[in-house]
Amino acid sequence: MSHPERDTRQTIVDTAERFFRDIGYQKTTVADIAKSLRMSPANVYRFFDSKKSINEAVLARYKGEHEAALAAIAAEDRPVADRLRDMLQTSYRINQARYADQQRMHEMVCAAMEESWDAILGHIARFDALMCKVVAEGVESGAFRKVDPGEATRCIRTAMIRFHHPLLMSQCSRMPGPSIDEMIDFIMAALEPPVDAA
Amino acid sequence: MSHPERDTRQTIVDTAERFFRDIGYQKTTVADIAKSLRMSPANVYRFFDSKKSINEAVLARYKGEHEAALAAIAAEDRPVADRLRDMLQTSYRINQARYADQQRMHEMVCAAMEESWDAILGHIARFDALMCKVVAEGVESGAFRKVDPGEATRCIRTAMIRFHHPLLMSQCSRMPGPSIDEMIDFIMAALEPPVDAA
């Protein structure tokens, strides 16, 4: 793909993101996006075969940023428990900034959950792989108890869903606690090795 | 309230539940319920001031049954860890039977989340109180580590949300693991006392 083509693709994604954020995914049409770019809809369709594909590109960028942030923390030279805590806090912070109080953004994610489930599964798989590597390192070094890293990773992800899932972030903010720090402490306790093996 | 009045109230709730389950909460009208009981809508309104109040009565019955099942387990003469496990498994089993693959039932619960949030909070408070008593007993006896029982209860409830929340039960069934047993094992590990204090 030549650079001008890549730029056009990028510009379409930027514009779509602004529409999704301002008027919502459902109400945005490919014609709106094309018009705002002074393009024909046919030209947009050269790059994306549907609004769903554009949404996937917007979410792929979000997820790419999210995954890069986690990968950077995973690679730091710090105790493994600190890195794992930081990965969970960072995921919350990123999702909080993106989705909290932003009904329009829920709409995008909900649409993706209905229309682009494979893309969501891909993100979960990459999130799990990053987390699993850190958990495995902790088990190996004795910093964590002898758990199965894959199983522990799936439990950690599931225990944290209230802090990562766009819909739950708003629903659960009206429920009694725990705070993100309390939740992470609880998870870390489940990974702590028994004292005599420490 | 005289018995015939209580019976009428009960019959309205039974009928409404069947409508909500068969055609969905949104499509059901108070007139439908009245007609099916050969009553006037005005007569139904003598017992419930709105469809929302009838929905609250249906859910109050579900929740009453759920809470009674948990209270019975909490009171059993068994090790505290076994009772806690059983309470979590039972909550899953009850919600699974009621909500899994039942789109209509999600609709009822979603409506309650929007219209009757205080009733939902009341259920959460009673669920937490039952759980907290068992956690406190385990901390007291040394079966669990020295956690704050209230905080631990909120963490347990939040960690289990994927197995109790009607919407997540269907969404997460398409995501990779963990099983309910793996999740409960993980939670119990977070409560386990350090070995030298056991």
Side-chain angles (χ1 to χ4, degrees):
Chain A
M1 203 185 269
S2 69
H3 276 230
E5 295 250 311
R6 205 167 59 203
D7 289 349
T8 306
R9 199 185 146 85
Q10 192 55 56
T11 309
I12 294 170
V13 174
D14 290 339
T15 307
E17 185 188 351
R18 211 175 51 241
F19 269 101
F20 295 164
R21 194 185 282 273
D22 291 347
I23 69 167
Y25 178 74
Q26 300 304 343
K27 283 193 188 146
T28 300
T29 65
V30 173
D32 291 333
I33 297 167
K35 196 176 167 195
S36 141
L37 290 168
R38 295 163 193 248
M39 277 183 189
S40 67
N43 201 15
V44 173
Y45 283 116
R46 278 182 51 226
F47 294 89
F48 295 99
D49 64 8
S50 59
K51 186 168 74 165
K52 158 176 172 278
S53 306
I54 308 180
N55 193 25
E56 285 173 7
V58 173
L59 288 171
R61 185 156 68 186
Y62 287 172
K63 289 172 201 155
E65 288 165 7
H66 186 168
E67 286 154 19
L70 297 187
I73 297 166
E76 283 173 9
D77 183 21
R78 284 199 287 155
V80 70
D82 293 356
R83 281 179 281 147
L84 184 58
R85 273 180 187 276
D86 201 358
M87 289 169 78
L88 297 175
Q89 263 152 351
T90 299
S91 286
Y92 175 59
R93 214 162 39 234
I94 290 176
N95 285 338
Q96 176 80 5
R98 203 154 269 160
Y99 304 123
D101 304 316
Q102 303 221 30
Q103 198 54 49
R104 303 291 191 210
M105 303 297 277
H106 300 179
E107 203 184 308
M108 270 179 66
V109 177
C110 286
M113 282 185 169
E114 282 177 21
E115 299 174 353
S116 312
W117 186 248
D118 285 350
I120 304 273
L121 282 184
H123 175 59
I124 292 173
R126 288 187 299 277
F127 179 93
D128 279 6
L130 283 164
M131 189 90 78
C132 189
K133 221 176 131 212
V134 173
V135 172
E137 196 189 318
V139 172
E140 189 80 9
S141 72
F144 297 154
R145 68 171 71 195
K146 303 212 172 311
V147 293
D148 175 88
E151 183 181 319
T153 295
R154 291 187 292 274
C155 287
I156 296 169
R157 172 183 24 88
T158 303
M160 290 296 293
I161 198 167
R162 172 255 175 279
F163 296 99
H164 296 163
H165 188 296
L167 180 69
L168 288 184
M169 289 175 75
S170 67
Q171 231 171 45
C172 293
S173 67
R174 299 184 294 154
M175 279 183 199
S179 70
I180 173 90
D181 288 329
E182 288 168 349
M183 194 71 218
I184 294 177
D185 284 347
F186 187 81
I187 287 170
M188 297 310 288
L191 294 173
E192 230 172 61
V195 167
D196 65 350
Chain B
M1 201 183 269
S2 69
H3 276 230
E5 294 250 311
R6 206 169 60 206
D7 290 348
T8 306
R9 199 184 147 85
Q10 193 53 57
T11 309
I12 294 170
V13 174
D14 291 340
T15 306
E17 185 189 350
R18 210 174 52 239
F19 270 101
F20 296 164
R21 195 184 282 273
D22 291 348
I23 70 167
Y25 178 73
Q26 301 303 342
K27 283 194 188 145
T28 301
T29 65
V30 172
D32 290 334
I33 296 167
K35 195 176 166 194
S36 141
L37 290 168
R38 295 162 194 245
M39 276 184 194
S40 66
N43 202 15
V44 173
Y45 283 116
R46 278 181 52 224
F47 295 88
F48 296 99
D49 64 8
S50 60
K51 186 169 74 167
K52 158 177 171 278
S53 306
I54 307 179
N55 193 25
E56 285 173 8
V58 173
L59 289 170
R61 185 158 67 187
Y62 288 172
K63 288 171 201 156
E65 288 165 7
H66 187 167
E67 286 154 19
L70 297 187
I73 297 167
E76 282 173 9
D77 183 22
R78 284 198 287 156
V80 70
D82 292 356
R83 280 178 281 148
L84 184 57
R85 274 181 186 277
D86 201 358
M87 288 169 79
L88 297 175
Q89 263 152 350
T90 299
S91 286
Y92 175 58
R93 212 163 42 232
I94 289 176
N95 285 338
Q96 177 80 5
R98 202 156 268 160
Y99 304 124
D101 305 317
Q102 304 221 29
Q103 198 55 48
R104 303 290 191 209
M105 303 297 277
H106 300 178
E107 205 184 309
M108 268 179 68
V109 177
C110 286
M113 282 186 170
E114 283 178 19
E115 300 175 351
S116 311
W117 185 248
D118 286 349
I120 305 272
L121 282 183
H123 175 58
I124 293 173
R126 289 187 298 276
F127 180 92
D128 278 8
L130 282 164
M131 189 90 79
C132 189
K133 222 176 129 212
V134 173
V135 172
E137 195 189 319
V139 172
E140 188 81 7
S141 71
F144 296 155
R145 67 171 71 195
K146 302 211 172 312
V147 292
D148 174 88
E151 183 181 319
T153 295
R154 290 187 292 274
C155 288
I156 296 169
R157 169 181 29 87
T158 303
M160 290 296 293
I161 198 167
R162 172 254 175 278
F163 295 99
H164 296 163
H165 187 298
L167 181 69
L168 289 183
M169 289 174 74
S170 67
Q171 230 171 45
C172 292
S173 66
R174 301 183 293 157
M175 280 184 197
S179 69
I180 173 90
D181 288 329
E182 287 168 350
M183 194 70 217
I184 294 176
D185 284 347
F186 187 81
I187 287 169
M188 298 311 288
L191 294 173
E192 229 171 64
V195 167
D196 65 350

